Amino acid sequence: MPTVAFHTLGCKVNQYDSQAMLEVFQQAGYEAADFEGRADVYVINTCTVTGTGDKKSMQAERRAMKNNPDAQVVIAGCLAQRDGEKLLSTGARLIIGNSRRGEVVKLLHEAMEKGQAICAVQDILRADYEPLFITRQEEHTRAVLKIQEGCDRYCTYCIIPSVRGGIRSRKPEDIRAEAEGLAKAGFRELVLTGIHLTSYGRDLEDKTLLDAVKACDIDGVERIRLGSLEPVIATEDFVRELAKIGKVCPQFHLALQSGSDEVLRRMRRRYTTEEFAAACERLRRYFPGCALTTDVICGFPGETEADFAQSCEFCKKIAFSRLHVFPYSRRQGTKAADMPGQLTKAVKEERTRQLIAIGKQTALAYHQSLVGTVQEVLVEEDLSGYTRSYVSCRVADSENMCRMGDTLQVRIICADENGVTGEPVRE
Ligand code: SF4
């Protein structure tokens, strides 16, 4: 049986796309293999959101060719969508980008029969939603469920709209069908993901993200977790209706990017820090004790010391339970790449270091606020799992009570910046 090995970079949408492509290979008689071992086919699902993404994608290709010089290499994903033909010179057999993933095996076999390398990248800006489907995920308890593709926001630092195309949403009935399959396969938690989840339904008649969440509110699913959102979606009506769906996990990832209104304006983000804070207040009012997580970019062109200080103060004020911090990465083809005031690597790294330190403090504070409370933990492996608010929890289980996939009531006994420890509550 031929073997195929995947290496996936970047976001949850890429993880989903890789799983869907893996299942296409398996349906064609391939067996999954370890990427660091020997395989007949290697698929690298690339990321180009930062320069590091490009570098790691190409490193993975070189590793594959070293692991088996006779192997067929497929390059998929955002870097392939952006660079297409150019990547043929790397020795890959097939370049497919962010469309035609359902045909990956057919296209690969065509290229092999012709003894040629093929670039099958299509114009993504006019693409329809590609109906990919998954029935399982490597993880055992949580499955990523893709419900939306593309983005048309064009934030000035972001390359994604040009490689993922415009807004395309899956119909709620398709989402439900996949959710039912994953629930049957034993997945208790579904993570709804997309390139711009906040835009879900804008291309469907009178559908909103709430309809997609309700489509997953089915037997067998205990938790519905939402991927990254924009604060603009957290209106009073939306949050109130969301709170009525009991399975929705009290953890919201609201992408902030900067705590300075001036920088937000030049990033072309569609909210102010005041509006962001108001969205957080609403979520905390309807989901008391919920976790708020976020992304922040440090060193955006022209970011002054004062702008950065505002970002730090704002992150302390909101007290995020998890702060993902990124040094600004200049992407050719974006507006920000041509902006004046590009900062040095040293300044970007120093600001990133400072904000990461603030994130550790606010994470510790949130974890400490859970000590003494009873939290529900979905056990994943080696006696650890996640609370509903997505805090990593180590289960101190002296009597060996819990198994992977168990949902446990756990009393939190201590905390650190990485998570908490808890003891199973005896009935
Ligand atoms: S909303 Fe902005 S940052 Fe997010 S994917 Fe779209 S363009 Fe990129």
Side-chain angles (χ1 to χ4, degrees), residues 151-155 157-161 195-196 230 257 269:
C151 180
D152 62 359
R153 305 282 87 178
Y154 287 93
C155 301
Y157 54 84
C158 186
I159 195 86
I160 295 170
I195 294 297
H196 197 248
E230 307 275 325
Q257 305 303 7
R269 300 289 288 168

Short mmCIF file of all heavy atoms in Angstrom, two decimals, residues 151-155 157-161 195-196 230 257 269, ligand 1:
data_model
loop_
_atom_site.label_atom_id
_atom_site.label_comp_id
_atom_site.label_asym_id
_atom_site.label_seq_id
_atom_site.Cartn_x
_atom_site.Cartn_y
_atom_site.Cartn_z
N CYS A 151 -11.65 35.93 3.05
CA CYS A 151 -11.81 37.19 3.78
C CYS A 151 -11.72 38.35 2.79
O CYS A 151 -10.94 38.29 1.84
CB CYS A 151 -10.69 37.35 4.82
SG CYS A 151 -10.83 38.87 5.75
N ASP A 152 -12.55 39.38 3.04
CA ASP A 152 -12.49 40.56 2.14
C ASP A 152 -12.24 41.83 2.93
O ASP A 152 -12.57 42.93 2.49
CB ASP A 152 -13.81 40.69 1.34
CG ASP A 152 -15.01 40.90 2.29
OD1 ASP A 152 -14.79 40.92 3.53
OD2 ASP A 152 -16.13 41.04 1.80
N ARG A 153 -11.61 41.69 4.09
CA ARG A 153 -11.38 42.86 4.95
C ARG A 153 -10.15 43.65 4.54
O ARG A 153 -10.09 44.86 4.74
CB ARG A 153 -11.24 42.41 6.41
CG ARG A 153 -12.41 41.59 6.97
CD ARG A 153 -13.59 42.43 7.34
NE ARG A 153 -14.46 42.64 6.22
CZ ARG A 153 -15.59 43.34 6.33
NH1 ARG A 153 -15.91 43.87 7.48
NH2 ARG A 153 -16.38 43.49 5.28
N TYR A 154 -9.17 43.05 4.04
CA TYR A 154 -7.92 43.69 3.57
C TYR A 154 -7.28 44.59 4.62
O TYR A 154 -6.98 45.78 4.38
CB TYR A 154 -8.17 44.44 2.26
CG TYR A 154 -8.34 43.48 1.09
CD1 TYR A 154 -9.59 43.04 0.71
CD2 TYR A 154 -7.22 42.98 0.42
CE1 TYR A 154 -9.75 42.11 -0.32
CE2 TYR A 154 -7.35 42.06 -0.61
CZ TYR A 154 -8.62 41.64 -0.98
OH TYR A 154 -8.76 40.73 -1.99
N CYS A 155 -7.08 44.06 5.84
CA CYS A 155 -6.31 44.79 6.83
C CYS A 155 -4.95 45.06 6.18
O CYS A 155 -4.43 44.23 5.45
CB CYS A 155 -6.17 43.97 8.10
SG CYS A 155 -7.78 43.56 8.81
N TYR A 157 -1.88 44.99 6.89
CA TYR A 157 -0.70 44.14 7.09
C TYR A 157 -0.90 42.71 6.58
O TYR A 157 0.03 41.91 6.60
CB TYR A 157 -0.39 44.05 8.60
CG TYR A 157 -1.56 43.59 9.42
CD1 TYR A 157 -1.85 42.24 9.57
CD2 TYR A 157 -2.43 44.51 9.99
CE1 TYR A 157 -2.97 41.81 10.28
CE2 TYR A 157 -3.55 44.10 10.71
CZ TYR A 157 -3.80 42.75 10.86
OH TYR A 157 -4.91 42.33 11.55
N CYS A 158 -2.10 42.39 6.08
CA CYS A 158 -2.45 40.98 5.91
C CYS A 158 -2.51 40.52 4.45
O CYS A 158 -3.13 41.14 3.61
CB CYS A 158 -3.82 40.72 6.55
SG CYS A 158 -4.28 38.98 6.54
N ILE A 159 -1.88 39.40 4.19
CA ILE A 159 -1.79 38.82 2.84
C ILE A 159 -2.94 37.84 2.59
O ILE A 159 -3.19 37.45 1.45
CB ILE A 159 -0.42 38.10 2.67
CG1 ILE A 159 -0.10 37.81 1.20
CG2 ILE A 159 -0.40 36.80 3.46
CD1 ILE A 159 0.54 38.93 0.50
N ILE A 160 -3.68 37.47 3.63
CA ILE A 160 -4.64 36.35 3.53
C ILE A 160 -5.71 36.54 2.47
O ILE A 160 -5.97 35.61 1.68
CB ILE A 160 -5.23 36.04 4.91
CG1 ILE A 160 -4.13 35.54 5.85
CG2 ILE A 160 -6.36 35.03 4.81
CD1 ILE A 160 -4.55 35.42 7.30
N PRO A 161 -6.36 37.71 2.36
CA PRO A 161 -7.41 37.82 1.34
C PRO A 161 -6.91 37.48 -0.08
O PRO A 161 -7.64 36.87 -0.87
CB PRO A 161 -7.84 39.29 1.44
CG PRO A 161 -7.57 39.63 2.86
CD PRO A 161 -6.30 38.92 3.19
N ILE A 195 -11.60 31.33 7.88
CA ILE A 195 -10.58 32.37 7.70
C ILE A 195 -11.08 33.66 8.32
O ILE A 195 -10.32 34.39 8.96
CB ILE A 195 -10.26 32.55 6.20
CG1 ILE A 195 -9.61 31.30 5.64
CG2 ILE A 195 -9.39 33.77 5.97
CD1 ILE A 195 -8.26 30.95 6.28
N HIS A 196 -12.36 33.96 8.19
CA HIS A 196 -12.96 35.15 8.83
C HIS A 196 -14.36 34.77 9.32
O HIS A 196 -15.38 35.11 8.71
CB HIS A 196 -13.02 36.33 7.87
CG HIS A 196 -13.24 37.63 8.59
ND1 HIS A 196 -14.41 38.34 8.47
CD2 HIS A 196 -12.46 38.30 9.46
CE1 HIS A 196 -14.32 39.42 9.23
NE2 HIS A 196 -13.15 39.42 9.85
N GLU A 230 -13.96 38.78 15.38
CA GLU A 230 -13.71 40.21 15.46
C GLU A 230 -14.69 40.79 16.47
O GLU A 230 -15.84 40.33 16.55
CB GLU A 230 -13.97 40.86 14.10
CG GLU A 230 -13.24 40.22 12.95
CD GLU A 230 -11.84 40.75 12.80
OE1 GLU A 230 -11.65 41.94 13.05
OE2 GLU A 230 -10.95 39.95 12.46
N GLN A 257 -5.05 42.98 17.84
CA GLN A 257 -3.94 43.40 16.98
C GLN A 257 -3.17 44.63 17.50
O GLN A 257 -1.96 44.70 17.37
CB GLN A 257 -4.38 43.62 15.52
CG GLN A 257 -5.06 42.44 14.90
CD GLN A 257 -4.25 41.15 14.89
OE1 GLN A 257 -3.16 41.07 15.47
NE2 GLN A 257 -4.76 40.13 14.26
N ARG A 269 -8.28 48.27 10.85
CA ARG A 269 -9.15 47.39 11.63
C ARG A 269 -10.44 48.17 11.87
O ARG A 269 -10.40 49.38 12.07
CB ARG A 269 -8.47 47.01 12.95
CG ARG A 269 -7.15 46.29 12.78
CD ARG A 269 -7.33 44.88 12.27
NE ARG A 269 -7.89 44.01 13.30
CZ ARG A 269 -8.36 42.78 13.05
NH1 ARG A 269 -8.40 42.33 11.80
NH2 ARG A 269 -8.84 42.03 14.01
S1 SF4 B 1 -9.69 40.14 8.95
FE1 SF4 B 1 -7.81 41.18 8.40
S2 SF4 B 1 -6.24 40.04 9.51
FE2 SF4 B 1 -8.03 38.74 9.44
S3 SF4 B 1 -7.75 37.44 7.63
FE3 SF4 B 1 -8.98 39.21 7.03
S4 SF4 B 1 -7.51 40.69 6.24
FE4 SF4 B 1 -6.37 39.17 7.44
#
